[in-house]
Amino acid sequence: AGMLADHMSGRAPGASAGFGLAPVGLRQAAHVVVPAPALAAARCAALEYFSGRGLPADRVVFAFDKALAPGPPETALLTQLHLAVGLGDVTASQIPAVLTGDAPDLLASVPEL
């Protein structure tokens, strides 16, 4: 697994609790007609996974269905990654530049981001 996966799961050395992705579109996905049984089973598994996560709101990253701007969870994750690769703290105002590649230092060390 890569560095991002280790930090997302909370398994990285010195990492805080893990993070999770926002389950965007769960309500809509529950009502989509799926013609193939295998796809219906996969959809059920995904819906079950996301609904059972129970992550606190401050650990859910990229919840763009709630806000388009990065918030405290993204700041926490990127700060953790910055510290892990020796780049120091990252401020909330720097997060958009890090995510878009305008500040490429972290992306050079964590390309899967």
Side-chain angles (χ1 to χ4, degrees):
M3 183 180 287
L4 178 61
D6 288 343
H7 282 271
M8 287 286 293
S9 69
R11 291 188 308 251
S16 60
F19 296 89
L21 295 173
V24 176
L26 281 185
R27 281 177 272 153
Q28 295 89 344
H31 301 289
V32 172
V33 176
V34 181
L39 294 176
R43 177 186 60 188
C44 289
L47 292 172
E48 184 177 312
Y49 169 79
F50 279 114
S51 64
R53 291 283 298 187
L55 288 170
D58 67 339
R59 307 310 291 175
V60 177
V61 293
F62 310 123
F64 296 126
D65 61 325
K66 299 199 182 348
L68 292 178
E74 291 81 18
T75 302
L77 173 62
L78 293 179
T79 296
Q80 206 170 281
L81 289 166
H82 258 242
L83 293 172
V85 299
L87 295 174
D89 264 342
V90 62
T91 64
S93 64
Q94 294 170 311
I95 298 300
V98 172
L99 290 174
T100 61
D102 289 339
D105 295 341
L106 184 61
L107 292 177
S109 298
V110 188
E112 63 268 29
L113 183 61

